[in-house]
Amino acid sequence: MYMNLEGTNTTTLKKLSSIPDFEKSSSQILDVFRQSSKLLITTHTNPDGDAIGSCLALYNYLLQHNKQVSIVIHSPIPSNLRFLIGIDKFQENNDGLVEQISSVVDTIVVLDLNDISRLKSLRKAIESSNATKIVIDHHLEPKDFANYYLIDTTASSTGEILYKLLRKDPKTKWSKELCDSLYVAIMTDTGNFRFERTDGEVHRIVADLIDFGVDPVHLYNEVYNKLPLKSARLMGLGFSNLESFYNGKLAVMPIRQSDFIKTNTKEEDTEGFVESILTIDGVIVSILILEVPERNEVRVSIRSKGDFSARNLALAFGGGGHKNAAGCRFYNEDFEIAKMKLVEEAKNIV
């Protein structure tokens, strides 16, 4: 098990590759891949670019080695990621699909999460499966549920870790599908290369991917410059209801079920909303709060700047994430009460 925890500095690929535990864990995981014939890949609920890109990259790598691979997830794919080649290979977990697949695969690979509860409807089947379980992730406080772990909490993204892993296999073919997926994973989880962990190593990896044929302008435009009209209308409603607190340091965008109905949109159509709030002058913490009545849930996304911790705010309500990007959920809670709890707790942050 390799776990490079917060505070450890890995500045170059050469330095990282010299860490024995990384070498050992990478070799073990690659050996498991070689010995497996049928694999299941999955990731967290409400998947983002890192989750989707990492799943697709690993899928393409395993296909190169003539493996049978399934990708099953709990939630729909955000609209801005549906352009990726191979996106049709993702299956939502309906009609007991994951139970059927997890009972026949050799290996299950869980990407971009380290807490099995975030698998939602997939959890029970994966937990009880006899398949070998692998976790590749970069989040803090991993939970013990797998056989093999490759976790580096100083990494910018799961895509970055996956790149380093696949570089260790000399037979990896750096195809367009593989490289585009890794680039999108890294680009989105670094906020287009502007978040705290965007260091020289990240840029060296991205330079490699560009040398392999990635078109960064095309991928940026697909991810960030193709907002569907209905999503734009939903964002407009959100901004019209934006609330400001603590002299403008905290901004909250509430989106109610009636807003989704009015614009014919769903949760996945809010991708990027919380980041857009943070662009407002003076805002250092932004909160997107969504009403999801069919699950009796209030879903919360939090972003922050600099030393102001989004993660600490999320942790106060049983959530988690990174220092500047985190989230949490309230269950069976009134929307307005949940919102004001968040605002009150944010006082300790801002």
Side-chain angles (χ1 to χ4, degrees):
M1 178 188 295
Y2 170 70
M3 292 189 183
N4 184 12
L5 300 180
E6 195 74 40
T8 301
N9 182 28
T10 56
T11 56
T12 66
L13 295 174
K14 182 177 179 181
K15 182 175 181 179
L16 178 61
S17 66
S18 69
I19 299 174
D21 285 348
F22 185 88
E23 293 286 349
K24 180 180 178 181
S25 293
S26 298
S27 296
Q28 288 175 334
I29 289 171
L30 290 174
D31 282 343
V32 173
F33 289 162
R34 293 184 191 104
Q35 295 163 16
S36 301
S37 59
K38 297 180 181 179
L39 300 95
L40 168 63
I41 300 172
T42 191
T43 188
H44 55 80
T45 183
N46 303 118
D48 54 10
D50 191 20
I52 297 298
S54 295
C55 285
L56 265 182
L58 182 58
Y59 174 84
N60 281 290
Y61 167 78
L62 293 170
L63 285 189
Q64 293 175 7
H65 291 74
N66 300 311
K67 309 299 181 180
Q68 295 182 41
V69 192
S70 300
I71 310 176
V72 182
I73 57 176
H74 174 79
S75 309
I77 295 169
S79 59
N80 67 327
L81 300 173
R82 292 176 190 157
F83 75 96
L84 286 166
I85 299 171
I87 207 72
D88 58 316
K89 305 305 180 184
F90 283 81
Q91 303 175 79
E92 283 188 54
N93 184 35
N94 298 316
D95 302 321
L97 176 64
V98 74
E99 283 84 358
Q100 300 168 33
I101 295 175
S102 63
S103 65
V104 298
V105 296
D106 310 305
T107 303
I108 298 172
V109 188
V110 179
L111 296 172
D112 201 39
L113 72 87
N114 58 32
D115 183 343
I116 198 168
S117 67
R118 295 202 65 207
L119 290 175
K120 296 293 184 179
S121 66
L122 287 74
R123 175 178 180 169
K124 185 176 179 181
I126 289 177
E127 212 165 22
S128 61
S129 174
N130 292 322
T132 299
K133 301 176 185 72
I134 296 171
V135 170
I136 301 174
D137 184 46
H138 67 128
H139 294 90
L140 293 165
E141 299 173 358
K143 304 297 190 297
D144 185 8
F145 67 92
N147 304 99
Y148 297 94
Y149 290 83
L150 193 61
I151 295 179
D152 183 353
T153 59
T154 68
S156 67
S157 56
T158 297
E160 177 185 336
I161 300 171
L162 193 56
Y163 168 88
K164 294 168 185 172
L165 175 67
L166 301 188
R167 284 289 284 190
K168 295 190 174 298
D169 181 354
K171 294 183 179 179
T172 298
K173 299 173 184 176
W174 297 95
S175 64
K176 174 178 174 56
E177 294 84 356
L178 176 60
C179 294
D180 280 2
S181 299
L182 284 176
Y183 186 91
V184 167
I186 297 169
M187 175 179 69
T188 53
D189 238 35
T190 58
N192 195 34
F193 311 107
R194 60 190 171 84
F195 290 165
E196 184 180 24
R197 290 175 185 162
T198 308
D199 56 14
E201 184 174 20
V202 170
H203 285 289
R204 281 185 283 273
I205 292 170
V206 167
D208 279 351
L209 294 174
I210 293 172
D211 288 344
F212 289 138
V214 161
D215 182 345
V217 176
H218 168 70
L219 293 181
Y220 177 89
N221 284 330
E222 289 290 342
V223 173
Y224 293 112
N225 285 344
K226 288 196 173 181
L227 184 70
L229 181 59
K230 63 181 182 179
S231 295
R233 286 175 172 151
L234 179 63
M235 184 184 285
L237 286 177
F239 272 113
S240 69
N241 294 318
L242 197 70
E243 299 178 51
S244 178
F245 302 89
Y246 309 122
N247 297 318
K249 294 180 179 179
L250 170 67
V252 179
M253 179 183 286
I255 295 184
R256 306 295 297 260
Q257 179 67 4
S258 58
D259 298 323
F260 287 118
I261 293 172
K262 190 180 299 183
T263 55
N264 190 30
T265 51
K266 298 179 180 179
E267 285 178 81
E268 57 265 29
D269 294 310
T270 64
E271 186 71 22
F273 283 22
V274 68
E275 287 85 3
S276 68
I277 306 168
L278 205 58
T279 65
I280 298 171
D281 187 28
V283 173
I284 56 176
V285 177
S286 65
I287 298 176
L288 173 67
I289 178 168
L290 309 177
E291 184 178 36
V292 191
E294 63 267 25
R295 299 199 302 268
N296 294 315
E297 179 183 313
V298 176
R299 179 185 158 202
V300 179
S301 296
I302 309 166
R303 299 293 184 269
S304 64
K305 295 176 181 176
D307 291 331
F308 298 92
S309 178
R311 183 172 181 270
N312 286 347
L313 179 53
L315 285 173
F317 300 101
H322 303 294
K323 180 180 178 181
N324 298 122
C328 61
R329 286 172 170 78
F330 293 84
Y331 297 97
N332 303 307
E333 181 75 272
D334 177 80
F335 185 88
E336 290 297 326
I337 291 175
K339 182 181 70 177
M340 293 318 298
K341 285 181 177 180
L342 285 160
V343 171
E344 183 63 28
E345 183 66 29
K347 186 187 299 183
N348 299 319
I349 308 297
V350 303

